[in-house]
Amino acid sequence: MSKHGMVKAVGTHFEYEDGTIFYPFGTTIYAFAHQTSEIIEQTFESLSGSPFNKVRMCVFPKDYTYNKNEPEFYPFHKTDSGCWDVDSPDERFWNHLEGIIKHLDNMEIQCDLILFHPYDRWGFSQFSQEDNLKYLQLCIDRLGHLDNIWWSLANEYDLLLHRKSMEDWYEIEEYLASHDKRHHLISNHNCFVPWDTSRANITHGSYQTKRFPDIGGLVRKFGKPIMVDECCYEGNIPDFWGSISGEEMTARFWMSIVSGAYCTHGETFLDPDDVLWWSKGGRLKGTSPERIAFLKEIVESLPGPVEPPAGGIPYFSELSDEERREKEKDPGFVSFMNAIELMTPENRHMHFYAEHCYSGRCADNSAIINYYYLRCCARDTLVLPADKKYKVEVIDTWNMTREVVLENASGKVTVALPGKPYMAVIAH
């Protein structure tokens, strides 16, 4: 059993049952449970030296590029006619899956368990709704006692809409929520059409997205934790979704965290044996995990979870009423604001999306964080509360260095920066 109990959603962040804050730093290993014992052991070894404390993985085997192997066991036996018999589970499979999840729990790693997915050559995605619900009950009966389970209704649920209608998905969600008496976390993951995070049974958002300037708005809109569970993968395969750099993977974690949300890693480096981390596990090969570990240490040292900024137009959202009134005496400022108001909402959104400034803070302004991403500033001005004193650090997120540049800072202060990308400033 987990030493802190189950993880629950509390406001826009996560906590264990004993009140300890849980900061998810996830990774994706879709077909982890369907690999050889050698690869599974190698994966556990890799995880033990990584920053990752949440693993996204599937119950059903997965058929996709770089993932064509047959698993040793399947969830069910077959009938004489060759169909899967959901009333006849294969205990070898379920014991094996439970053992993997328990091992993760012993490592203090949460298991974000994906219940359905579209990448299927075996027929699991073609069950009747009656069999879907029987399968869900089996998952609850066999795995629901485990503390470290999170239920993910699907990976890319919207790619299954030709087989499961929205009404079917709503029934699946409701069945899981009402029959799991321990009330594990529940989410649903999209390809193109996000699931409605406002639904009562949904404890947190699980998004596939690359629209990072919008993430803080999702946190504010739903008032629930937001996971960016798929944002492309560090790797070198030909596909656009699996060929971002380690710098960009690291940056996407920083952009999520500073927006008050959380991010999930994945790796897709070509391998002669087709053992890609994102599909099978094995060994981590990228440059981002070490930098993500550095970020994790920083986040866990903060006084509390990061909250997104209140929103508003960049450059002016931090102005006090007095400062704004002073600026409005300048005709140039008034012209600027008038022009902004003439933009269509769509164009205004896209304009500020392209010029988004990543800034977040902990409750009561106990810490304030700016992340500069690709901006190469030589200096920046921070507007700190005048009634508090802060230590200000400049952080090189790629070279993993922290330098205290100001002590006892308050009000409007200027911070020198090195004029290169991937820098951050934390006042705390």
Side-chain angles (χ1 to χ4, degrees):
M1 300 290 285
S2 297
K3 68 178 184 179
H4 296 293
M6 290 167 55
V7 172
K8 301 292 185 181
V10 179
T12 60
H13 66 278
F14 298 99
E15 291 181 9
Y16 288 103
E17 286 179 298
D18 68 359
T20 303
I21 295 174
F22 175 73
Y23 297 105
F25 283 78
T27 191
T28 299
I29 319 172
Y30 283 125
F32 182 18
H34 306 284
Q35 306 311 312
T36 64
S37 59
E38 291 78 13
I39 291 178
I40 288 172
E41 287 305 312
Q42 190 179 74
T43 305
F44 281 132
E45 181 182 350
S46 297
L47 286 169
S48 69
S50 81
F52 305 121
N53 57 13
K54 181 175 85 75
V55 169
R56 293 188 72 230
M57 54 181 278
C58 301
V59 176
F60 292 132
K62 184 176 180 180
D63 174 41
Y64 198 61
T65 310
Y66 314 110
N67 190 23
K68 296 292 184 180
N69 61 300
E70 289 288 337
E72 184 177 0
F73 309 117
Y74 296 92
F76 308 102
H77 297 292
K78 286 189 173 181
T79 63
D80 292 339
S81 62
C83 297
W84 296 113
D85 184 356
V86 296
D87 294 313
S88 179
D90 188 331
E91 292 300 316
R92 296 172 300 172
F93 171 86
W94 292 96
N95 290 336
H96 172 69
L97 179 60
E98 182 179 1
I100 287 176
I101 299 171
K102 282 183 174 179
H103 194 139
L104 290 172
D105 194 23
N106 290 336
M107 299 173 69
E108 297 188 48
I109 297 175
Q110 301 294 301
C111 177
D112 196 356
L113 193 63
I114 298 165
L115 299 172
F116 297 97
H117 67 77
Y119 303 104
D120 170 42
R121 66 174 182 266
W122 300 274
F124 299 113
S125 64
Q126 301 176 40
F127 282 173
S128 67
Q129 185 72 341
E130 179 183 1
D131 283 352
N132 286 334
L133 299 184
K134 287 182 179 180
Y135 156 66
L136 288 180
Q137 188 60 55
L138 177 62
C139 288
I140 294 168
D141 292 343
R142 287 304 311 263
L143 305 173
H145 67 284
L146 300 172
D147 282 351
N148 64 323
I149 286 281
W150 299 21
W151 303 122
S152 177
L153 302 186
N155 185 66
E156 300 179 334
Y157 85 94
D158 44 328
L159 299 190
L160 279 168
L161 285 172
H162 63 298
R163 299 198 180 278
K164 295 176 176 64
S165 67
M166 290 300 292
E167 289 70 25
D168 290 335
W169 282 115
Y170 294 149
E171 185 178 18
I172 286 168
E173 177 202 286
E174 178 58 31
Y175 187 94
L176 192 63
S178 60
H179 287 74
D180 174 16
K181 302 307 180 184
R182 298 193 69 206
H183 306 295
H184 294 78
L185 295 169
I186 298 178
S187 68
N188 201 6
H189 171 272
N190 65 288
C191 185
F192 301 110
V193 184
W195 191 253
D196 182 2
T197 300
S198 69
R199 292 179 61 80
N201 294 324
I202 298 299
T203 55
H204 64 284
S206 174
Y207 287 84
Q208 177 172 179
T209 185
K210 296 89 181 171
R211 295 170 58 102
F212 286 90
D214 290 341
I215 300 302
L218 293 175
V219 180
R220 294 192 301 270
K221 177 180 179 181
F222 295 112
K224 297 179 181 182
I226 298 296
M227 291 292 316
V228 182
D229 273 321
E230 189 170 345
C231 64
C232 296
Y233 305 113
E234 180 184 1
N236 60 7
I237 62 175
D239 305 88
F240 77 92
W241 48 262
S243 52
I244 65 172
S245 66
E247 289 91 337
E248 183 63 22
M249 184 86 257
T250 303
R252 294 182 182 193
F253 267 76
W254 273 90
M255 289 186 282
S256 297
I257 290 291
V258 176
S259 299
Y262 305 97
C263 197
T264 297
H265 156 278
E267 251 186 41
T268 48
F269 287 97
L270 290 170
D271 183 88
D273 299 316
D274 274 355
V275 181
L276 281 67
W277 178 266
W278 134 97
S279 59
K280 298 177 181 177
R283 297 195 186 282
L284 288 161
K285 302 173 183 177
T287 56
S288 67
E290 183 182 5
R291 277 80 185 181
I292 293 168
F294 176 69
L295 170 60
K296 185 181 179 187
E297 291 178 4
I298 292 172
V299 169
E300 291 178 343
S301 72
L302 294 174
V306 179
E307 301 173 351
I313 297 173
Y315 322 125
F316 309 120
S317 58
E318 296 292 335
L319 293 178
S320 67
D321 290 342
E322 182 179 351
E323 288 172 321
R324 187 178 183 88
R325 284 193 296 270
E326 190 64 29
K327 275 189 169 291
E328 286 174 345
K329 297 177 183 178
D330 177 1
F333 176 84
V334 174
S335 297
F336 192 95
M337 296 301 292
N338 287 343
I340 288 173
E341 294 302 322
L342 291 172
M343 299 172 79
T344 65
E346 179 183 10
N347 284 342
R348 189 183 304 127
H349 176 80
M350 291 308 298
H351 177 82
F352 288 115
Y353 182 97
E355 296 188 2
H356 184 75
C357 300
Y358 292 93
S359 180
R361 58 196 63 224
C362 300
D364 300 322
N365 290 318
S366 52
I368 297 170
I369 309 175
N370 286 352
Y371 176 60
Y372 295 90
Y373 186 32
L374 297 176
R375 297 166 62 200
C376 297
C377 305
R379 65 173 182 266
D380 192 28
T381 299
L382 302 184
V383 182
L384 304 173
D387 60 345
K388 295 180 182 289
K389 300 292 185 182
Y390 293 88
K391 176 174 68 176
V392 179
E393 293 184 81
V394 172
I395 298 177
D396 186 325
T397 69
W398 184 250
N399 291 311
M400 297 177 288
T401 61
R402 304 175 67 167
E403 179 186 2
V404 177
V405 295
L406 293 172
E407 297 270 14
N408 298 315
S410 63
K412 188 177 291 187
V413 296
T414 298
V415 178
L417 293 166
K420 61 182 182 179
Y422 310 123
M423 301 302 296
V425 169
I426 297 182
H428 59 105

